[in-house]
Each structure stands twice: as C-alpha cells, then as structure tokens.
Amino acid sequence: MGDAQATAISFDLWAKAAPSAVSLEAMESELERPRHDAQGTSQLLQGIGAKQLHGGEFQASAAAFGKAYQIATDAGVSNVWTAPVLAWRITSMRNWMESLEDLTPSRRNQIARSVRRELRRARWVAWWFPNERPHVLREAALSAAGAGRIRKALRLLEQSLDVARRQHAKYEYARSLVARGRIRRELDWPHAEAEWIDATNTLEAIESEVARTNPNGQDVPEATLSLADRFDTVLNAGRQIASELSRERIFASVLDAAQKLLRAELCHLWEVSDGVVSWDDDASAADLRMESVESNVQAAIAARSAVAFDEHQPAATSDAVSTTSVRSALCAPIIVHREIVACLYVAHYQVAGLFGEEEERLADFITTLAGAALENADNYSRLEKWNEELEAIVSARTADAEARADDLARSNEELEQFAYVVSHDMQEPLRTIASYCQLLSRRYGDQLDDMAREFIGYAVDGAERMRKLIADLLSYSRVGTRGSPFRPVDCQTVMQRVEFNLRVMLEESQTRLTYDALPVIMADETQIMQLLQNLVSNAVKFRGSDSPRVHVGVERSGSEWVFSVRDNGIGIDPQHFERIFLIFQRLHQRGQYEGTGLGLAVCKKTVERHGGKIWVDSSAGRGSTFFFTIPHRQLPSIGSGQSPWNAG
C-alpha cells in the first residue's frame, strides 16, 4: 500500500476513533480561536466533517466539508491536503439523502442535483490529484445507481476498481468492492450476497490491520494528527517537509519537525540501503551505545512503523535501550516505494517513558510525509533532467533550423538574383532573334519560298514563347519576395481595373463579366489584381461553344473571405484538380490553347502568400468554379467611406 493511500486510510479511521484521539469538541474549540492560515482552517474543518460523517451527522458533515472547500478555494490553496474535501462532501450528501425517508421528491431531486454538481468539480480535482480518483469514481457510480442508471454505475465502479488496483490502493479497492456488491445484491444478481459479504470482510480486515486496541479496548488509528494543542505546529511541519525538493533539505526538515513535535534532546537520522543502515560517527559523538541503537533501529525496520522504547520495558526489550544515558528512545522508518530508505531516531537523556502512542503517531506522520516528499523530489529531479535534455535537444534543433533557414534565405536570395540576371540576359537575345527574323521576313520575304517563311515563323514564335516563359517564371519567383506590404484594398475598384485591362479579350469573345459587391481587404493590391485577372482570363480562354459568362462572387465564412470565379466553359476533369496548380502543367496541346502553364501556379503562390488556399470545383463540359480564401484582417480606420462589408 502506497504512502498516500495509507494517509487516506488513517484519515478515514481517525474520524471513527474513540475520544482518546482528537475529540470533536476539541477541534470545534480550536476552530473558534483567531486563525490566519487558510489551509490549516480547511484541514481542521475536514477533521470536523469526518467526525460528523462517522457520527451520523450527515447534513452537518456536508456543510463542514463545503466550508473547508470554500476557504481553500478562496485562498487559492490546492494540494494533496485539500484535494479530498469534495469527495467526502459528496459522500456526506449521499448518506444524508439516503438516511432521510421523509424527503419529498422535489427535495431529493434538489440534493441529487447538488451531488451531480459537486461530482463535476470533484472529477476535475481528481484529474490533478490521481489518489482521489477511486473515491470520486465510486461516488459517481453510487449517484448513477440512485438515478436508476445501473449500467453506468457498474461501469464507473469497474473504473474505480481498476484505478485503485493500479495505485495499489487496497482500502479504496475494498470500499469499491463493497459498493459493487451492494448494487448487485439489490439487483438479485447470482452470488451477489456472497460477493458483498466477502467485500465487507475484506474492508473490515484492512481496517483491523490499520487500527489497534488501547488499554480501554477502544480502537485508535495507527497514524493520526497530533492533539489540538499542537495542531498548527503539525500542519506547518508537514507543509515544510512536503514543500522541499532535495533529499538533504527533506532530511533537515524531518529533524526539525521531530525536534519541535517530539520534545527530544537528541534527533538523528540514518540512511538505509537494501536493508543495511549507514552508520556514521555522529552517533558515537552523541555518547550512544551503538549496540542498543542498532537494536532499536532494526526493531523499527522490522515493524515498518514507529516504535518507542524506555527503561521500564520488560527484560525482553529493555536490553535494546540500556544505554549509558538515554532513558527514552523512539525509532521510525522512512519508506519510499515500499523500500525503507532512512530511519529517524529520537531520544531523551533525563525523562523515562516520554514517548508513547501519541508520539509514535506523530513520528509516523512525519516519516510518511518524508517518504512522499522524497518520492516527489525524485520525480522532480528526473523531470529537471528530462527538461534539461529536452532543452538541449530543442536548442540543438533550433540552432540547426535557424542555420538551415539562413542557408535557405541566402539560397533564395541568390536564386532570385540569378533568375533576374538570367531573365534579363536571356530576354535581350530573344528579342534580337525575333526582331531580326521579322526583319528578314519583311525585307526578303518575296525572295523566300513558303517553307523558308514557315521556318522564320517558327523561329519568331519560339522566341516569343521563350520570352513569355521567362517573364512568367520571373513573376512566379517574385510573388513571395517582391510583394508590397499589405494595406486596405478595395476589391470593387480592383475588379473594375481587371475589366478594363481585359476589355479587348472580353469584347472579341463577347464575354459577359459580372461581379458581386466586393469587400475591402488587407492585401497586396497588385497581386490581388493579377490573381483575379489570371482567373478571369483563364475563364475566357477556356470557353466552350456557348456565349461565355463569368461571375466573380464573394461571401464571409468565419474569419475569412471566400472568393469565387465561376464560368460556363469547357470544365476540368476532377482527376486533374491538383495537377493544374503545378508549374508547367498543361492539359491541352499548345496548338489548342496558348500559355506557359504557369498562370494557376502563380495564383496558388499568391493566395498562399496572403494566408489562404485555392481550389477548383468542376466537371468536364460543365464549366468551372475557382475558389480562393483571404483571411479577414482588422482594417485601419479609413473614415466615413468605409465599405459596409467591414462594418463590425
């Protein structure tokens, strides 16, 4: 059983303890005095609530737990000490509802709704503090069963059992077994009665193992909080131990807590590895008979709990403490992951019988916290190491990525410069070739035969196509590097310019071009005009036998504008939808439709530079609709002439 689960058991059993433990009256009296410690007050209310719960005062218990939760929440306190509050409040509310037979249906439903509300909170808490999950899941199951949702209840109980099993939480596992047996028994499942009896016996056996009997025959828990007069000291010492993140500081806090709470004259701590105690010279400096100390420590290790010794013990044990000057001694092991890692030793030179059951409980409280803190420190150390390794990996990869980005930037810059130089140097010879071929045709055309004139035509056409290809390649390379900064662009005005630029093509083809009221967007005006012009000219170029019709539309969709260019042309087979946006990809022979195969690639790169995407919807012979998106960005103030599209 893990340390956290042992603490949960002791908390539950402590609430059932006889008056020899901290009484309800003592805690209520402690609550009345002025306090400024939110966590201490919350934990004190937890103790009161637990006492009331096991005393059958369910409504008062629920109120106490609720107040404890509220105080901790208001103070921003959320830790393993306050985490159990909601689950216990739900337990109190459920028991209260089940105990009252005269509740009206409306009142019962009101309480059930409150339970469900608290369960939602408790599940969130259990997400951060996994030790609470078996309890919360069990209460959720019992709530579902009360609402008649039996299948859900049994499923939640199986989850509770699974979590408790993985956590080695025997006590929570037994309580969930009892709850499952109770539900199955009420449903008359086969063997349900025997299952419930076995589960109940298991739970009672665990409680008997944890509890022991005092001289008056009353059950007193193995580990409880100290008496009310040391309540604040206990809480402060516990928080100090739990907050440390190194082995040395945890051990120092343990010795400090033992000194304050156990009133010893000597406090010492020895580390243990594989059952072997690492003795040091400090013990002999303290004038101790080491054979006696070793015997005491081994007795505590064997018991796996605090053991007190004094000179009045029977002969069988008195030899273990017959020291030269020590009259009272107490040893308590510190356990981490079920392994004893250290042993706390406290002693007094003058007073015999100083350490009794209360001091043993306090010692167990201190060492249990120390074990949990050591486990936490170990996890924290591993996490720090993993973080350092991760930071090193991220740093190395970031440096590598930055180096690659720098190389890519230099490469792009060099490529752009190369493209500019090549395009400039190549276009001039091409113009010369085309010009001289045309001059040759004009001056000597009557002396050339038809084949010679045809060859000259091929040369001129090839030079012109090469010039256009180079110009388009240069435009493609400059989309992302030579664009203008984004500014407000009135797409209505841009579309009017597109219509003017394409007026000859539109008139010759008798194309009817229409467009919606277009918005003002943040964009590169030149590139947006080129984008729309390319899409409209493509729609005209790839027209069918009917009179061409092209419509440019737009609509707002969430955080972006969706533009569309729809035509009634020849359409595109769906298998070519991705291909048409790649450079140099043509679907038709050059003799059918002219072009370099770069127009839609430039459109795609332009849209992506603006943070959008482009796609097509079409079918062969039925026209095409090209869509592209432009993110809706906040526009700077443009005065009273602002487009109604951008209102709000």
Side-chain angles (χ1 to χ4, degrees):
M1 185 180 303
D3 295 336
Q5 292 302 328
T7 303
I9 292 176
S10 64
F11 173 75
D12 191 25
L13 294 180
W14 171 72
K16 302 177 183 177
S20 59
V22 183
S23 67
L24 181 60
E25 292 75 14
M27 287 188 290
E28 290 175 341
S29 176
E30 171 69 13
L31 189 63
E32 290 176 359
R33 70 182 182 86
R35 306 181 61 86
H36 304 285
D37 177 11
Q39 177 162 313
T41 304
S42 176
Q43 289 183 252
L44 186 56
L45 283 165
Q46 288 183 55
I48 293 173
K51 279 286 188 181
Q52 292 169 334
L53 171 62
H54 291 291
E57 302 176 48
F58 302 128
Q59 187 175 4
S61 173
F65 282 122
K67 189 174 181 181
Y69 174 76
Q70 193 61 50
I71 289 174
T73 302
D74 291 345
V77 177
S78 179
N79 53 39
V80 293
W81 305 103
T82 61
V85 175
L86 279 178
W88 285 106
R89 173 170 163 77
I90 294 165
T91 301
S92 299
M93 295 173 70
R94 176 178 54 78
N95 278 278
W96 174 36
M97 184 170 59
E98 292 175 354
S99 67
L100 298 178
E101 298 179 356
D102 57 345
L103 279 178
T104 62
S106 60
R107 180 59 174 152
R108 187 178 296 274
N109 289 337
Q110 181 182 359
I111 299 175
R113 285 194 299 270
S114 298
V115 169
R116 289 193 294 271
R117 182 172 61 250
E118 296 299 311
L119 274 169
R120 286 193 293 271
R121 294 180 181 175
R123 283 186 168 183
W124 176 252
V125 171
W127 174 259
W128 295 103
F129 300 96
N131 284 335
E132 304 307 316
R133 291 179 190 171
H135 190 173
V136 173
L137 286 167
R138 181 171 59 253
E139 287 299 337
L142 293 172
S143 175
R149 304 175 68 180
I150 303 302
R151 293 180 63 182
K152 179 180 180 180
L154 292 174
R155 185 174 70 253
L156 288 169
L157 281 172
E158 291 301 329
Q159 293 176 13
S160 175
L161 290 167
D162 180 61
V163 173
R165 185 187 303 110
R166 285 188 279 109
Q167 293 180 350
H168 303 288
K170 295 181 181 179
Y171 186 62
E172 292 291 350
Y173 187 83
R175 293 175 69 190
S176 295
L177 278 179
V178 171
R180 187 179 69 177
R182 170 186 166 186
I183 293 175
R184 289 181 173 179
R185 187 178 63 161
E186 292 178 0
L187 295 173
D188 293 328
W189 279 36
H191 313 297
E193 183 71 22
E195 178 185 333
W196 179 78
I197 292 173
D198 288 344
T200 303
N201 291 337
T202 300
L203 181 61
E204 291 176 352
I206 293 175
E207 292 177 346
S208 298
E209 179 185 348
V210 175
R212 61 180 176 175
T213 303
N214 69 6
N216 297 322
Q218 297 168 318
D219 286 340
V220 180
E222 282 278 1
T224 75
L225 298 177
S226 178
L227 295 175
D229 62 353
R230 300 188 218 172
F231 200 85
D232 286 337
T233 306
V234 171
L235 293 181
N236 290 332
R239 280 199 297 272
Q240 183 63 39
I241 294 171
S243 65
E244 301 295 357
L245 292 175
S246 71
R247 192 180 187 91
E248 294 75 15
R249 293 186 63 86
I250 291 169
F251 285 163
S253 296
V254 167
L255 292 173
D256 183 61
Q259 188 74 47
K260 291 176 180 177
L261 295 172
L262 299 175
R263 301 165 295 188
E265 290 185 312
L266 169 69
C267 293
H268 202 79
L269 193 147
W270 287 286
E271 296 193 44
V272 180
S273 178
D274 296 328
V276 179
V277 182
S278 300
W279 306 106
D280 53 40
D281 294 335
D282 290 346
S284 46
D287 193 26
L288 297 175
R289 287 182 56 187
M290 288 308 297
E291 64 273 16
S292 303
V293 174
E294 291 178 16
S295 179
N296 295 346
V297 171
Q298 293 301 331
I301 290 175
R304 297 181 70 84
S305 64
V307 180
F309 309 90
D310 63 73
E311 64 181 5
H312 299 296
Q313 288 182 316
T317 57
S318 62
D319 289 341
V321 291
S322 57
T323 65
T324 56
S325 55
V326 169
R327 302 191 66 189
S328 296
L330 184 148
C331 296
I334 297 176
I335 303 174
V336 178
H337 297 305
R338 302 184 182 182
E339 295 293 330
I340 296 175
V341 299
C343 194
L344 173 66
Y345 178 86
V346 296
H348 201 285
Y349 296 102
Q350 306 299 326
V351 181
L354 178 64
F355 304 123
E357 294 178 353
E358 183 63 32
E359 283 68 32
E360 288 180 343
R361 290 194 289 271
L362 283 171
D364 278 337
F365 174 77
I366 293 170
T367 54
T368 297
L369 283 179
L374 286 169
E375 182 178 343
N376 183 52
D378 184 45
N379 292 335
Y380 181 78
S381 177
R382 285 202 298 268
L383 182 61
E384 276 195 324
K385 182 180 178 181
W386 292 339
N387 282 339
E388 289 174 359
E389 293 175 353
L390 181 60
E391 286 177 359
I393 293 172
V394 170
S395 178
R397 291 187 177 178
T398 301
D400 183 55
E402 289 176 350
R404 292 186 180 184
D406 291 341
D407 291 343
L408 184 60
R410 285 194 298 271
S411 177
N412 285 339
E413 186 176 352
E414 293 170 358
L415 185 60
E416 182 184 355
Q417 185 65 25
F418 173 77
Y420 176 78
V421 171
V422 168
S423 64
H424 181 271
D425 291 348
M426 289 184 67
Q427 287 191 69
E428 185 60 31
L430 288 172
R431 279 193 294 268
T432 300
I433 293 172
S435 297
Y436 275 97
C437 285
Q438 291 170 348
L439 181 62
L440 181 64
S441 177
R442 286 195 301 270
R443 181 170 296 183
Y444 301 105
D446 55 350
Q447 301 178 26
L448 301 174
D449 57 17
D450 292 341
M451 184 172 291
R453 285 193 291 271
E454 184 178 359
F455 289 165
I456 291 174
Y458 287 155
V460 172
D461 180 63
E464 183 62 23
R465 283 192 288 106
M466 179 63 75
R467 188 187 65 79
K468 288 182 179 179
L469 179 60
I470 292 171
D472 287 350
L473 272 173
L474 188 60
S475 297
Y476 179 81
S477 69
R478 289 182 170 180
V479 168
T481 58
R482 293 293 182 91
S484 301
F486 292 174
R487 62 181 183 83
V489 174
D490 187 345
C491 293
Q492 194 76 13
T493 302
V494 169
M495 198 61 218
Q496 292 169 0
R497 292 178 185 172
V498 169
E499 186 175 16
F500 178 79
N501 293 342
L502 299 178
R503 64 188 183 282
V504 175
M505 174 186 282
L506 297 175
E507 290 173 359
E508 289 180 350
S509 61
Q510 298 182 347
T511 299
R512 181 186 176 190
L513 174 63
T514 58
Y515 41 90
D516 294 341
L518 303 178
V520 176
I521 63 175
M522 289 294 292
D524 182 330
E525 183 173 7
T526 301
Q527 290 187 351
I528 290 297
M529 183 172 68
Q530 187 63 47
L531 170 64
L532 290 169
Q533 189 165 303
N534 280 355
L535 293 175
V536 171
S537 63
N538 267 6
V540 175
K541 180 167 66 174
F542 296 102
R543 60 185 178 271
S545 56
D546 296 335
S547 179
R549 296 192 305 276
V550 181
H551 179 76
V552 178
V554 68
E555 63 180 19
R556 177 75 178 272
S557 177
S559 60
E560 58 188 11
W561 296 106
V562 181
F563 289 81
S564 61
V565 179
R566 185 177 69 251
D567 64 57
N568 63 339
I570 61 174
I572 304 170
D573 193 306
Q575 66 177 320
H576 301 306
F577 282 176
E578 297 295 330
R579 178 184 169 196
I580 60 175
F581 292 105
L582 303 177
I583 61 174
F584 303 131
Q585 295 299 312
R586 297 173 53 87
L587 303 183
H588 307 281
Q589 296 295 326
R590 187 168 289 105
Q592 295 178 283
Y593 299 97
E594 63 179 20
T596 61
L598 278 167
L600 288 177
V602 172
C603 290
K604 182 175 184 291
K605 196 168 184 181
T606 299
V607 171
E608 289 176 347
R609 188 213 166 196
H610 285 75
K613 56 180 183 282
I614 186 170
W615 69 97
V616 64
D617 183 18
S618 178
S619 59
R622 298 193 177 185
S624 304
T625 302
F626 283 84
F627 298 92
F628 66 89
T629 62
I630 300 293
H632 175 71
R633 299 181 176 92
Q634 186 65 38
L635 298 174
S637 177
I638 56 176
S640 58
Q642 183 175 1
S643 169
W645 278 94
N646 298 289

